[in-house]
Amino acid sequence: MSTSAHGLQDRPRVVLGVAGGIAAYKAALLLRDLTESGHDVTVVPTAASEHFVGRATWEALSGHPVATDVWSHVQDVPHVRLGRYADLVVVAPATADLLARAAHGLADDLLTNVLLTATCPVLLVPAMHTEMWLNAAVQANVALLRARGVTVLEPASGRLTGADSGPGRMPEPADIAAACRRLLGSGARSYDLAGRRVVVSAGGTREPLDPVRFLGNRSSGRQGVALAAAAAARGASVTLVAAHVEVPTPAGVDVVPVQTAAELAEAVTKLAAGADVVVMAAAVADFRPAARSQAKIKKTDDPAQDPVVVLERNPDVLAGLVRARTGASPVLVGFAAETGDESGTVLQHGRAKLARKGCDLLVLNEVGEAKGFATATNAVTILGRDGTEREVPEASKDVVADAVWDAVVPMLPPPAVLTTGAL
Ligand code: CTP
């Protein structure tokens, strides 16, 4: 936090870097959002960005003078001061050129100097044409930055500068501001998933009976989305396999939409091959209709003709991941929504399920009409294969998500040291 001239502890101090892309105009809205929500923002544009937005805009909206090079206000040593005292550095838009300069430690303007002196979380928000984003050089730079603990948001898909569209669009300012708040709020935990690849499944699968009907469940996907957002904020590269998720998916997370258990099984199994952690938060249907009618099923006048739905088993995705794993990676986390009954308590059912599934952690929650599903809070017990038990009393799904990652982090092998040559 910064301290004002009056010695008062006040607002979180944010450096907003703006690189030279058309999305620079959207950074003005981000600046507005951050200043209006109580952040002290200093804007550091690159010289190229001044072709898009002039410094008068930044100075007026931020209330601070603006420089692009290290030769202005030298008596203040701004290239060291800004980075050292920032609570967060966010660069939006981050162009392919800026990503390359950041990845390789260049220090040829004020913004790249700030990036080298910053000891706080750094958030880069790429925006560029699809071809540039998918280029191997850009992807290698992004991988290198992520491996070093920098949070690089996934670009959104949508309309680009002209009539073309695809991945490369800068996420909306409100989403970037939310990512900034998460990074500012997560304190010392910020980096503990840096360089890790994480797969989270979320939501509930739907098994079609006919073109309009399905067998489904009440999962909203909120807990899985919170897990994906928390992992991204802690530096992981996250893929969310989303089965009918009812809440917006977080910026900075790669989303793979799926419908059925079979589609989810295929996506998760493929992604697990390169992952450090797989969290199965999705409610996966155990059974599907054995036959799917191509036409809408109709009732006839004769009740004796009423259809009988025959079910067949879906694959158990989590058990399949356990079987396919060689060694300790990926760490596998299951979820279990249980009710107590005459055959055992919720905890006893959870322990039995953990043993049956063979995963490393099982996040157990008691469900009922108003518990667990489609609510903003959750109360869970995180069971470990080694017999550990961590209770998380009724808390927001974000708090539960961080508790799950707190349990996962010590189970991860030490991170590999990544160099440019290794990419
Ligand atoms: N799961 C899975 N594949 C399935 C069913 C469940 O991977 N076909 C995963 C869920 O994502 C969850 C865990 O297994 O992480 C436990 O899900 P749950 O439905 O509680 O387990 P089941 O084995 O289906 O047990 P039950 O008979 O109690 O429903």
Side-chain angles (χ1 to χ4, degrees):
M1 305 284 151
S2 59
T3 305
S4 74
H6 308 289
L8 298 172
Q9 266 285 311
D10 50 22
R11 302 172 294 163
R13 203 187 291 242
V14 176
V15 171
L16 170 59
V18 181
I22 186 75
Y25 78 93
K26 285 204 216 166
L29 299 173
L30 173 62
L31 172 58
R32 231 320 148 31
D33 187 318
L34 291 172
T35 52
E36 283 185 356
S37 55
H39 300 83
D40 177 14
V41 187
T42 302
V43 183
V44 181
T46 63
S49 78
E50 294 192 290
H51 291 292
F52 298 98
V53 181
R55 67 178 67 184
T57 301
W58 306 128
E59 291 186 342
L61 288 177
S62 71
H64 290 297
V66 160
T68 61
D69 59 50
V70 292
W71 310 116
S72 314
H73 320 291
V74 273
Q75 69 282 6
D76 293 338
V77 202
H79 67 292
V80 177
R81 182 180 52 81
L82 284 169
R84 189 178 288 164
Y85 295 113
D87 297 308
L88 174 76
V89 177
V90 49
V91 183
T95 55
D97 177 68
L98 187 281
L99 293 173
R101 289 191 289 139
H104 298 282
L106 298 195
D108 51 358
D109 62 4
L110 183 56
L111 180 54
T112 44
N113 273 274
V114 168
L115 287 170
L116 287 182
T117 51
T119 53
C120 59
V122 173
L123 174 65
L124 302 180
V125 189
M128 64 198 76
H129 280 281
T130 303
E131 295 81 352
M132 294 174 81
W133 171 248
L134 297 178
N135 184 281
V138 175
Q139 288 297 311
N141 288 334
V142 169
L144 189 54
L145 288 160
R146 283 180 174 157
R148 292 188 185 137
V150 174
T151 301
V152 184
L153 286 192
E154 282 293 315
S157 271
R159 179 111 187 258
L160 301 169
T161 321
D164 49 342
S165 67
R169 191 181 145 94
M170 190 163 94
E172 292 311 308
D175 289 333
I176 303 170
C180 290
R181 284 186 200 100
R182 273 203 303 273
L183 278 177
L184 281 164
S186 55
R189 283 171 172 157
S190 295
Y191 292 89
D192 61 2
L193 287 170
R196 309 289 188 172
R197 281 169 201 259
V198 162
V199 179
V200 179
S201 72
T205 59
R206 288 182 182 177
E207 309 298 323
L209 273 161
D210 70 12
V212 291
R213 303 183 181 96
F214 57 83
L215 295 181
N217 59 66
R218 292 169 51 206
S219 175
S220 64
R222 280 188 174 79
Q223 186 61 73
V225 165
L227 280 154
R234 291 166 77 150
S237 161
V238 185
T239 306
L240 179 71
V241 178
H244 307 285
V245 162
E246 286 169 14
V247 289
T249 53
V253 164
D254 205 14
V255 180
V256 177
V258 294
Q259 306 283 329
T260 63
E263 286 176 25
L264 184 140
E266 191 188 338
V268 170
T269 309
K270 207 184 283 173
L271 289 161
D276 298 295
V277 189
V278 179
V279 181
M280 286 293 298
V284 185
D286 287 324
F287 301 98
R288 64 177 170 238
R292 174 187 179 175
S293 171
Q294 292 309 310
K296 186 180 166 196
I297 300 167
K298 298 222 187 279
K299 62 177 179 292
T300 64
D301 292 337
D302 179 8
Q305 303 283 317
D306 284 354
V308 174
V309 177
V310 177
L311 301 177
E312 64 183 10
R313 258 177 202 241
N314 274 324
D316 186 323
V317 187
L318 184 57
L321 295 176
V322 171
R323 275 196 306 275
R325 168 166 79 163
T326 49
S329 188
V331 172
L332 297 172
V333 183
F335 267 70
E338 298 289 341
T339 53
D341 56 23
E342 62 287 348
S343 68
T345 62
V346 170
L347 202 60
Q348 284 166 338
H349 287 313
R351 276 268 160 234
K353 188 165 284 184
L354 177 63
R356 208 165 55 240
K357 297 265 180 186
C359 52
D360 301 299
L361 294 170
L362 189 83
V363 185
L364 175 67
N365 70 329
E366 187 176 353
V367 284
E369 284 296 315
K371 274 186 184 168
F373 289 118
T375 58
T377 60
N378 216 351
V380 304
T381 306
I382 304 170
L383 305 179
R385 205 153 57 125
D386 56 1
T388 50
E389 243 166 61
R390 300 167 187 237
E391 250 190 79
V392 187
E394 183 89 18
S396 76
K397 291 189 174 179
D398 294 336
V399 170
V400 171
D402 270 319
V404 172
W405 293 121
D406 288 346
V408 166
V409 166
M411 307 182 89
L412 293 167
V417 178
L418 197 59
T419 63
T420 322
L423 289 168

